[in-house]
Amino acid sequence: MSACPRDRTSPRPAHRRPPASSQTQGATLSPKKSPLTRKTSLYRLRTPEGIALDLHALVDERYRDRGDFTATPVDHAGVKGLLVTDSLARDSTEWSGVLSDLTGIDVRVASRTASGLLLVRTQRAVYAVTYGMGHHMIDPLRLDLGFGLQFALRSLDQHSISLVRRHFMDARGRTDENSATRGGELRDLGTEWIGSIVSKITGTAVDLPLTHVSDGRHTLRVSCTDSSITLPLGRTPQQFLGDLRVIEDTCDRPAPLPGLESLARVRSLRRRGRTTLVRGLDSQLDQRLGDPHASGLTLSPPSECAPHTADARAVRLMYGSRTIQVDDLDIDDVRRLVRDRSEEHRLRALKDMRIQLFADAECTDPLGAPVPGHRWITAEVRSGAAYHFYWQGSWYEVGAEFLQALRDDVTELLSRPSGVVLPHWPVGERTDEAWFNEQAAKQPGYDLFDRKTVRTGTFRGGGLEICDVLGPEGQLIMVKKADKGTSGLSHLFTQARAAVETLRYDSEVREKFLARVAELRPNQPPEEILATPTVVLAIRLKYGVPLTADSLFAFAQVALLQTAVALQGMGARVRIITIRA
């Protein structure tokens, strides 16, 4: 493709210098010094190995085919690549018609969106620097989806993390984001690394000789997504190329910085190519796409779409000549377009599909570029001793390293002393929890709270069971008989979170609970119980076997740690004990 740069010789309008004030007339004003850097978004692009690629191919074809698209080869002071610019004009905004209808006035408000994209080739990779809406001009299939977090885990100060967005690798496709104004530890932000993938992290980079910190007076704030880095880069060719080399060297470091290892415990299979393992996982996913009743498959917005999902009024699915428009996207909408394909071709069809969000029901105001359909799918597959997850178009493995880290954290949690003693629960005798709670409450210093719900208007005639037994130091003891899996423990974890959260935020529940404690223990200040509450999760596994990292399935361990982190985030201490047979 050939293109000519726009004419830059047209005269610019003259700017008049503002009149000098009485205090500055006659004085020489020093010109304002330009900053050395500018905040920039940087992407690394995937290119075929050993093939000389035309950089035009990295630009989304929607822009390459437009008449106002401008591409200019660059070879300037060591910077070699392609400069792409575009200015999208619209005669009238979509909402102009709405205002006309509401007011009876002919409203025609035009809009113009500017985009800039610089593709730069180095000896190690091809990078994209974007300005304005320039990130939409990159072919999304070319994004290196591990680049941003690879840099973040090797550059950020673990004590300065101010924002973390994570996606949970489960069938619900959950996403949440935690932030702190002044930054802090990962666990202070409530980040549950267990069973989740971090897609965005913001903090302060340390020990990087970048232009922005060369004067010794600035700190380097960096925001990284899975595919991009946003940070100040040098404005001159020499400074820019120097900064790029620092970023490349940082990404080549062999391991994450201390304190950030937990974010690297989920291993991507992307760099392994189409191995036998990946082909087998793809085949299982292909089968599920053709089965409307298959489980372990759901939708999760890719990171580039996640910020816009709340504003979307319509979603368009495009596959070949077929187009479906829906108000709310559902997994069945995706399956409908690919399930009639033959086996082993559904996933390929999903990769050819495009899904795009729009801010209006007429689909005239796009919220970003169309994204391949397979990047919207989240799937879970158990394969031998490892778990595999399909997320944002790639497979991830939760294998031996993850499970060892999981075991270490569970073992540490189980080793914390609880200050609670509970009776045995013999095998073959009474099996209901009510009986056991009564036996535990017969001990000196313990009180029965099982089935003594706190009732308020909040629960619409029902009530909340704060705990099963109150311990001698005010511990909130919650009892559950369960097997090795997560199904029997889910109620226990839900009860613990609901109790602590309600005591913290519902004053009526808190007052009624404390009044009950005061009746039972007139000599113990009840407020001390809730100053820093201690939650004791008392668990009896099948046959009364000891509670260890070996006696719980992996995702029971995941659920246990996630509950502990959530409770600690609400100011509670968490202790786990075994009820023995």
Side-chain angles (χ1 to χ4, degrees):
M1 159 182 176
S2 61
C4 297
R6 292 195 181 109
D7 181 12
R8 303 174 185 230
T9 61
S10 56
R12 298 181 178 179
H15 294 282
R16 300 178 63 185
R17 178 177 297 178
S21 66
S22 57
Q23 296 177 341
T24 60
Q25 286 182 352
T28 302
L29 298 178
S30 60
K32 185 177 180 180
K33 188 176 181 180
S34 299
L36 296 177
T37 61
R38 188 187 190 283
K39 193 172 185 180
T40 307
S41 294
L42 179 70
Y43 300 78
R44 189 169 64 194
L45 305 184
R46 298 170 55 212
T47 58
E49 293 185 10
I51 299 177
L53 181 70
D54 182 357
L55 295 182
H56 290 83
L58 301 176
V59 181
D60 190 287
E61 61 182 8
R62 297 177 305 123
Y63 289 85
R64 295 201 307 264
D65 298 337
R66 289 216 331 241
D68 53 357
F69 166 88
T70 302
T72 307
V74 174
D75 188 351
H76 173 63
V79 177
K80 298 181 179 181
L82 185 70
L83 172 63
V84 183
T85 56
D86 171 75
S87 184
L88 174 61
R90 182 181 297 166
D91 293 337
S92 182
T93 58
E94 174 271 334
W95 45 262
S96 295
V98 177
L99 286 179
S100 298
D101 293 340
L102 292 174
T103 64
I105 301 172
D106 186 12
V107 179
R108 297 183 184 180
V109 180
S111 66
R112 179 174 292 273
T113 303
S115 303
L117 169 65
L118 175 62
L119 300 174
V120 178
R121 200 192 298 268
T122 72
Q123 292 183 345
R124 303 188 216 184
V126 174
Y127 296 89
V129 181
T130 66
Y131 302 92
M133 303 299 289
H135 57 284
H136 291 314
M137 304 171 76
I138 304 172
D139 184 345
L141 295 177
R142 298 290 188 174
L143 293 173
D144 186 337
L145 299 178
F147 172 55
L149 294 181
Q150 182 183 8
F151 176 78
L153 300 184
R154 290 158 177 79
S155 65
L156 296 185
D157 176 10
Q158 62 161 318
H159 303 290
S160 73
I161 306 301
S162 58
L163 182 145
V164 175
R165 179 191 298 154
R166 66 188 188 273
H167 302 257
F168 290 89
M169 299 185 299
D170 58 23
R172 291 167 289 177
R174 293 182 296 145
T175 300
D176 77 1
E177 187 171 292
N178 296 275
S179 61
T181 304
R182 297 187 179 181
E185 300 279 358
L186 281 174
R187 292 189 182 272
D188 291 341
L189 290 173
T191 55
E192 303 167 23
W193 62 265
I194 299 294
S196 65
I197 300 173
V198 171
S199 64
K200 184 176 182 179
I201 183 169
T202 299
T204 301
V206 293
D207 299 329
L208 297 183
L210 293 169
T211 303
H212 187 70
V213 295
S214 60
D215 59 4
R217 295 185 291 109
H218 293 89
T219 57
L220 184 65
R221 297 292 294 171
V222 177
S223 182
C224 300
T225 69
D226 53 344
S227 60
S228 69
I229 309 171
T230 301
L231 77 171
L233 293 178
R235 298 170 65 103
T236 69
Q238 293 77 15
Q239 293 169 341
F240 171 76
L241 292 174
D243 289 345
L244 204 53
R245 283 191 292 271
V246 170
I247 292 171
E248 291 182 319
D249 292 342
T250 302
C251 290
D252 286 343
R253 293 175 182 174
L257 292 176
L260 300 178
E261 307 96 326
S262 62
L263 301 183
R265 286 170 172 167
V266 179
R267 183 169 51 190
S268 170
L269 302 182
R270 182 187 303 117
R271 297 186 183 278
R272 299 185 179 185
R274 287 278 295 167
T275 62
T276 301
L277 172 60
V278 172
R279 284 194 293 269
L281 294 171
D282 282 349
S283 180
Q284 293 189 58
L285 176 55
D286 191 277
Q287 293 174 16
R288 294 187 186 185
L289 288 170
D291 181 0
H293 305 293
S295 60
L297 185 66
T298 188
L299 291 177
S300 181
S303 56
E304 61 265 45
C305 298
H308 307 304
T309 52
D311 300 322
R313 297 294 176 265
V315 185
R316 181 173 286 175
L317 296 85
M318 298 159 283
Y319 175 54
S321 60
R322 302 175 62 184
T323 299
I324 294 178
Q325 181 175 325
V326 296
D327 296 334
D328 295 301
L329 188 62
D330 185 82
I331 185 63
D332 290 334
D333 299 321
V334 176
R335 279 179 165 146
R336 195 178 308 128
L337 285 178
V338 300
R339 66 188 178 195
D340 58 344
R341 297 299 302 268
S342 59
E343 192 170 338
E344 302 297 335
H345 288 82
R346 302 184 189 100
L347 181 56
R348 179 66 263 172
L350 193 64
K351 292 180 179 180
D352 292 336
M353 181 192 301
R354 294 293 182 267
I355 299 177
Q356 188 171 21
L357 303 177
F358 291 86
D360 62 309
E362 293 76 22
C363 293
T364 62
D365 189 6
L367 294 170
V371 176
H374 72 297
R375 284 179 47 75
W376 286 78
I377 294 293
T378 298
E380 174 187 349
V381 175
R382 178 70 181 267
S383 177
Y387 283 89
H388 294 96
F389 294 88
Y390 192 80
W391 182 73
Q392 298 214 21
S394 299
W395 285 104
Y396 294 83
E397 180 177 274
V398 181
E401 295 175 6
F402 177 92
L403 296 178
Q404 184 58 52
L406 188 62
R407 286 169 50 86
D408 292 345
D409 279 12
V410 168
T411 300
E412 188 278 326
L413 179 60
L414 296 176
S415 68
R416 299 175 186 174
S418 66
V420 167
V421 176
L422 293 178
H424 285 217
W425 192 339
V427 176
E429 295 189 17
R430 295 290 296 272
T431 59
D432 58 290
E433 293 172 7
W435 170 83
F436 178 81
N437 291 333
E438 290 174 358
Q439 303 307 306
K442 290 178 181 179
Q443 302 177 111
Y446 292 76
D447 290 295
L448 183 66
F449 271 70
D450 181 28
R451 292 177 290 182
K452 292 178 170 47
T453 57
V454 177
R455 298 181 180 274
T456 71
T458 304
F459 301 103
R460 299 183 180 180
L464 176 68
E465 188 177 278
I466 299 298
C467 61
D468 295 313
V469 179
L470 193 67
E473 298 177 8
Q475 299 98 329
L476 305 176
I477 305 172
M478 304 176 190
V479 175
K480 176 54 63 177
K481 180 182 178 182
D483 58 17
K484 295 171 65 177
T486 57
S487 57
L489 296 173
S490 59
H491 176 75
L492 175 67
F493 299 152
T494 300
Q495 177 192 2
R497 292 194 190 201
V500 174
E501 188 174 48
T502 305
L503 286 173
R504 187 178 185 187
Y505 297 113
D506 192 316
S507 59
E508 186 178 4
V509 170
R510 184 167 58 250
E511 290 172 3
K512 289 191 175 184
F513 173 72
L514 292 177
R516 174 64 177 162
V517 173
E519 291 177 8
L520 296 171
R521 303 181 179 185
N523 297 324
Q524 180 179 9
E527 292 79 7
E528 292 181 359
I529 295 175
L530 300 185
T532 305
T534 298
V535 175
V536 178
L537 303 178
I539 301 172
R540 182 190 185 275
L541 294 180
K542 194 173 184 179
Y543 307 121
V545 299
L547 190 66
T548 67
D550 292 324
S551 60
L552 285 174
F553 287 140
F555 271 77
Q557 298 178 47
V558 167
L560 177 60
L561 287 178
Q562 288 181 341
T563 300
V565 170
L567 292 173
Q568 289 166 183
M570 290 186 279
R573 290 187 293 257
V574 181
R575 302 293 184 265
I576 316 293
I577 63 172
T578 296
I579 302 176
R580 298 181 178 271

